[in-house]
Amino acid sequence: MSGAGCGDNNFNVPDASGDAPVDVAPDAPIDAPQEPILRITLKLEDLLALAPQDALSSYGRASGIAPFGANGSSWQYTKPSTGHPSDKFELIMPFASLPNVTTPPELAAILEHLGPITLADIASIKVHTKHSAATTTDFTLIAYTKPDGTDDDASWYGRRIHALLQWAASRSAPADTWNEYATSTGTNQIQFWDFRNANVAQGIQPANNYFTLADIKAGPITPAGISGARDYRAEQLQYLAFTTFSSNTAFDGAIDGIELVLNNGKGVNIDLDGDSNVYRTKVSLTQMRARHGNGNSYGIDGTASSSMPYAGATSWRYIKGAGAPADEKLEFHVPFAISDGEDVDALWEPMRTHLGDFTLGEIASIKLRTRRPAGAAYNFAVLVYTRADGTDDDASWYGRRLHAYLDWAASPSAPADTWNTYSTASGTNQLQFWDYRNANVQQGVQPANNFFTLATLQAGPVTPAGVTGARDYRAEKVKFVTLATYSNFPTFEGSLDGLEITLTNGKQLVLDLEQ
């Protein structure tokens, strides 16, 4: 036999007795076995980066408060009281290759791993949710199948099968704790029904005519309102969606730990994660006018415009025409540190809670996006009001009022008929402030180029125009960040959207201005 160290590509291993090595020829190379369950992490910001124009709040936000699995974050959706009544949560995951659809790399990996699958190929589906005590509703699972041109229920899907989680068989889902729903028999067994009509309001109610995944796989079944049975087994899965309904008047819940396993043992486990420092929400012009008009003015001709919005479906557009009252203006206050006894609509509480009280010294940046037509003579302004503290306040209801008129920006570059970003960061369109000390704009001392940047404010005391002695703004608590025009503008036309406030501790608020 060959001795140890021979160059014949054999491996030398001891025999069972431990005596001299025995030559054993190696087997043919073996590929590493493929992990049957693909585990992916789906980060909220990655989805938004791929489609930043698509409804910033449709996925809710990443929350690190008691997440599923005790680590990282989970997706939390609270129907924004600032948002439009039709807002909803909607996470759609494609399970089939679709033309003209951009799929995030994480979701594309699912298609590559599983390949095309039918409803009969599915062994199980699981999801974990947590709903608050303030709401009795939970998320809904929807399976869309691929249209095949034969008796499809819509042009873009074949069948749409709904499973409201509160319909689960043997339901046991205490509030404020994570609960598992699964298609398997037992507690919280997911049950489906067939929503044939495109409009939810036109659907035939199930009248307890639910069916399980086992029923689907067993053979044809007859949904409520159907003449004749339907066989779903050969239907190819196109999407799995987790959603709320736009008709929900309120919603507060979290979702995570989504799993789909096939009969062949392959599957996918999806961890919903993201940056829990970021709070994205919509601010609806409709809601603002209905609920939060006090202390704000949106202008007679203020409107939500779907003409080339910055983000989402619409943006705010303000027009002051020749027939408008001379003193009309846009004025939108976002409240933060409010003094005791002041009345502030509770709709702002989630945002205020997220950022907490903060000072001028704790602002990392403020950003705003605007758009103006060619020939527009005037621009928007960003104002920062600080809370009155009883010491040298400039008014009874605020301490300081710092103006940043956008046409004062350093290194200006704002072409007409396009969205431009203004920011407190150095560079193009850097916001510059001055101190408007008097309560009446007409009485203010003009800055005479005595502007100061956020960095200058945070470096130490500064001396505004018309003030004897320096002022230190760093410890002033922010009361409002305000978007405005001035009442002495005879006309105005422009759009605004995408307000971002970021603090030095990493916390960030993103406001999508919608209809």
Side-chain angles (χ1 to χ4, degrees):
M1 66 180 175
S2 302
C6 292
D8 56 2
N9 288 327
N10 287 352
F11 294 96
N12 297 312
V13 296
D15 67 5
S17 66
D19 294 330
V22 177
D23 290 349
V24 177
D27 294 331
I30 300 175
D31 292 334
Q34 186 179 38
E35 182 70 26
I37 303 297
L38 175 67
R39 301 182 184 277
I40 67 171
T41 297
L42 195 58
K43 291 191 175 182
L44 182 64
E45 52 267 28
D46 290 344
L47 265 66
L48 292 173
L50 270 180
Q53 308 306 311
D54 292 343
L56 288 176
S57 66
S58 63
Y59 307 114
R61 67 185 182 95
S63 172
I65 301 173
F68 175 68
N71 295 310
S73 61
S74 296
W75 288 10
Q76 178 86 27
Y77 178 70
T78 304
K79 186 162 186 175
S81 55
T82 53
H84 195 272
S86 64
D87 284 345
K88 64 179 179 179
F89 173 93
E90 192 168 41
L91 168 62
I92 299 178
M93 298 179 292
F95 282 79
S97 297
L98 302 168
N100 304 317
V101 174
T102 301
T103 302
E106 296 85 356
L107 296 182
I110 298 175
L111 304 182
E112 183 179 351
H113 180 66
L114 298 182
I117 61 175
T118 65
L119 294 186
D121 292 329
I122 300 173
S124 67
I125 300 172
K126 291 181 183 179
V127 63
H128 301 82
T129 71
K130 180 174 64 172
H131 63 92
S132 78
T135 177
T136 58
T137 57
D138 210 324
F139 292 90
T140 294
L141 163 65
I142 306 177
Y144 294 88
T145 67
K146 196 170 183 178
D148 58 12
T150 304
D151 188 31
D152 295 320
D153 287 334
S155 61
W156 59 279
Y157 64 83
R159 303 286 181 253
R160 180 172 64 174
I161 306 173
H162 288 225
L164 276 70
L165 297 187
Q166 59 261 34
W167 290 345
S170 304
R171 187 171 186 242
S172 176
D176 297 318
T177 188
W178 285 98
N179 301 292
E180 180 179 282
Y181 293 87
T183 51
S184 56
T185 304
T187 303
N188 294 335
Q189 182 182 16
I190 294 171
Q191 300 185 113
F192 298 89
W193 70 286
D194 188 326
F195 225 148
R196 300 176 326 285
N197 293 296
N199 189 323
V200 172
Q202 298 170 1
I204 303 294
Q205 295 305 311
N208 294 322
N209 187 223
Y210 308 121
F211 45 92
T212 65
L213 178 61
D215 295 330
I216 290 174
K217 296 170 70 171
I221 56 180
T222 304
I226 289 287
S227 297
R230 285 185 160 185
D231 194 335
Y232 299 90
R233 291 174 291 181
E235 296 270 349
Q236 183 179 344
L237 182 64
Q238 177 169 261
Y239 299 113
L240 273 187
F242 291 91
T243 183
T244 63
F245 293 118
S246 56
S247 58
N248 293 143
T249 55
F251 192 93
D252 186 17
I255 184 170
D256 207 342
I258 300 168
E259 183 180 86
L260 181 144
V261 178
L262 304 183
N263 299 328
N264 62 11
K266 295 175 72 174
V268 61
N269 184 286
I270 302 171
D271 173 30
L272 300 182
D273 204 349
D275 188 348
S276 59
N277 281 327
V278 182
Y279 191 112
R280 296 176 176 85
T281 192
K282 296 179 183 179
V283 180
S284 161
L285 188 64
T286 303
Q287 288 285 71
M288 292 302 98
R289 283 189 165 137
R291 293 189 51 179
H292 200 244
N294 186 30
N296 293 265
S297 168
Y298 307 105
I300 294 172
D301 296 316
T303 183
S305 173
S306 59
S307 175
M308 292 178 286
Y310 167 71
T314 60
S315 294
W316 287 11
R317 185 183 184 201
Y318 176 66
I319 300 174
K320 183 176 181 179
D327 61 351
E328 182 191 301
K329 62 180 177 178
L330 170 79
E331 189 170 53
F332 170 49
H333 299 293
V334 183
F336 295 105
I338 304 303
S339 303
D340 292 341
E342 289 188 299
D343 183 23
V344 176
D345 196 313
L347 60 80
W348 296 109
E349 277 307 309
M351 286 167 276
R352 294 177 56 207
T353 300
H354 177 70
L355 291 186
D357 285 358
F358 59 94
T359 65
L360 276 165
E362 293 169 331
I363 298 175
S365 70
I366 298 173
K367 289 184 181 179
L368 176 68
R369 282 79 179 186
T370 71
R371 179 189 184 100
R372 292 188 296 169
Y378 303 98
N379 212 335
F380 295 98
V382 177
L383 290 79
V384 178
Y385 291 84
T386 69
R387 189 169 73 177
D389 58 13
T391 303
D392 189 31
D393 295 319
D394 287 334
S396 61
W397 59 280
Y398 65 83
R400 302 286 180 254
R401 181 173 61 177
L402 300 174
H403 291 229
Y405 182 52
L406 300 190
D407 278 352
W408 294 339
S411 303
S413 177
D417 296 315
T418 188
W419 285 98
N420 300 290
T421 299
Y422 292 84
S423 172
T424 51
S426 60
T428 303
N429 294 334
Q430 183 181 17
L431 294 175
Q432 299 188 112
F433 296 89
W434 68 288
D435 187 329
Y436 232 148
R437 300 177 326 285
N438 295 295
N440 189 318
V441 172
Q442 303 303 321
Q443 299 170 1
V445 175
Q446 296 305 310
N449 295 322
N450 186 219
F451 305 123
F452 35 91
T453 65
L454 179 63
T456 305
L457 275 171
Q458 294 175 340
V462 297
T463 304
V467 169
T468 302
R471 285 185 160 186
D472 194 334
Y473 299 87
R474 292 174 291 182
E476 297 270 346
K477 284 190 175 181
V478 174
K479 179 174 184 175
F480 297 119
V481 173
T482 299
L483 308 180
T485 64
Y486 293 115
S487 57
N488 63 346
F489 290 166
T491 60
F492 192 93
E493 182 174 359
S495 300
L496 70 167
D497 207 341
L499 174 65
E500 295 181 18
I501 301 169
T502 305
L503 305 185
T504 53
N505 63 8
K507 294 282 187 180
Q508 183 182 57
L509 175 65
V510 180
L511 300 185
D512 172 25
L513 305 185
E514 287 287 339
Q515 65 180 346

